[in-house]
Amino acid sequence: QKEVEQDPGPLSVPEGAIVSLNCTYSNSAFQYFMWYRQYSRKGPELLMYTYSSGNKEDGRFTAQVDKSSKYISLFIRDSQPSDSATYLCAMRNAGNMLTFGGGTRLMVKP
Amino acid sequence: DGGITQSPKYLFRKEGQNVTLSCEQNLNHDAMYWYRQDPGQGLRLIYYSQIVNDFQKGDIAEGYSVSREKKESFPLTVTSAQKNPTAFYLCASSSPGGLGKNIQYFGAGTRLSVL
């Protein structure tokens, strides 16, 4: 079993929809949680960073962490075609090493 | 502009050949990393370096080698011992921030294919 599980998709939604992307994990030592967005043939770029449980909002994006369930989510409101990309969750404990999910491919159709 | 530069963007390797991927950063970050990305498998850590002249193996180091002679540079060599080198290679760097924050920033990647 992988340490971080993420549905690979693809997830196809119409423009304007609310998108929910999720990851589950097994290592209770993870404290820092990140979401990266990766466009095709590009490097990942950091979207959201959260520490411990709770919610964090940034514009149309909301990151949610539930450590008791070992479950993290990224919500995208009013999704746009430009949001079409692969979304990678990543997490780490107190050290520097990140553990990544396999990524979910999102397609937002006009 | 501060950032991480990877070159070349595309690289082709012949059988039995060693090839070197370049990674340069001007972010003044101490730590640098190399990842391999295969479809549907996320990112897997090849090697990392926390400081100049020091580096450690990641999860899939076999068939790869690195050096860290300068803070700015962390080249990755894919040796002929790596039997399945076709993948997208990503370089990242990071530096400690407040409250345990330590964000990794990525380059644009190098796509390696076997001829």
Side-chain angles (χ1 to χ4, degrees):
Chain A
Q1 186 186 4
K2 290 182 182 177
E3 219 171 355
V4 179
E5 299 276 0
Q6 188 175 4
D7 189 327
L11 177 62
S12 182
V13 301
E15 183 176 353
I18 297 174
V19 175
S20 172
L21 303 165
N22 311 295
C23 287
T24 58
Y25 63 95
S26 56
N27 187 345
S28 57
F30 288 141
Q31 301 176 37
Y32 303 90
F33 304 90
M34 282 137 276
W35 286 95
Y36 284 85
R37 177 176 62 196
Q38 185 177 24
Y39 291 113
S40 182
R41 301 179 185 274
K42 302 288 185 186
E45 56 177 325
L46 182 70
L47 266 183
M48 300 288 283
Y49 171 92
T50 51
Y51 169 66
S52 197
S53 286
N55 291 0
K56 184 175 182 180
E57 189 173 319
D58 184 1
R60 296 184 297 112
F61 299 92
T62 299
Q64 209 170 69
V65 174
D66 182 349
K67 290 189 72 179
S68 62
S69 302
K70 297 191 181 69
Y71 189 88
I72 69 170
S73 301
L74 177 71
F75 297 96
I76 307 174
R77 289 184 298 281
D78 188 24
S79 55
Q80 302 296 309
S82 58
D83 294 327
S84 298
T86 295
Y87 290 79
L88 299 158
C89 65
M91 47 198 79
R92 66 177 179 88
N93 53 23
N96 290 346
M97 298 302 110
L98 286 179
T99 301
F100 285 86
T104 298
R105 187 172 157 224
L106 172 67
M107 295 185 294
V108 181
K109 300 194 172 180
Chain B
D1 273 338
I4 301 170
T5 302
Q6 289 187 244
S7 62
K9 193 170 181 179
Y10 300 97
L11 186 58
F12 298 91
R13 193 190 89 166
K14 294 180 183 177
E15 201 72 36
Q17 187 182 38
N18 292 354
V19 292
T20 298
L21 285 60
S22 171
C23 178
E24 303 275 332
Q25 54 100 359
N26 61 4
L27 300 168
N28 200 33
H29 286 171
D30 291 312
M32 297 186 74
Y33 312 80
W34 274 105
Y35 292 91
R36 170 178 171 142
Q37 187 175 32
D38 295 282
Q41 292 200 40
L43 276 64
R44 292 183 291 167
L45 184 65
I46 304 172
Y47 268 98
Y48 65 99
S49 168
Q50 307 268 38
I51 197 167
V52 174
N53 292 323
D54 187 47
F55 48 83
Q56 284 80 40
K57 294 181 179 180
D59 301 319
I60 55 165
E62 188 174 346
Y64 301 96
S65 66
V66 294
S67 63
R68 185 87 187 275
E69 296 176 3
K70 296 187 300 181
K71 187 176 184 178
E72 303 79 22
S73 179
F74 191 39
L76 172 74
T77 296
V78 184
T79 74
S80 57
Q82 173 48 246
K83 297 306 179 189
N84 183 23
T86 297
F88 191 48
Y89 290 86
L90 287 159
C91 177
S93 70
S94 71
S95 192
L99 298 175
K101 198 169 182 176
N102 193 322
I103 304 295
Q104 288 189 22
Y105 297 93
F106 287 84
T110 292
R111 188 164 297 276
L112 176 61
S113 302
V114 177
L115 286 177

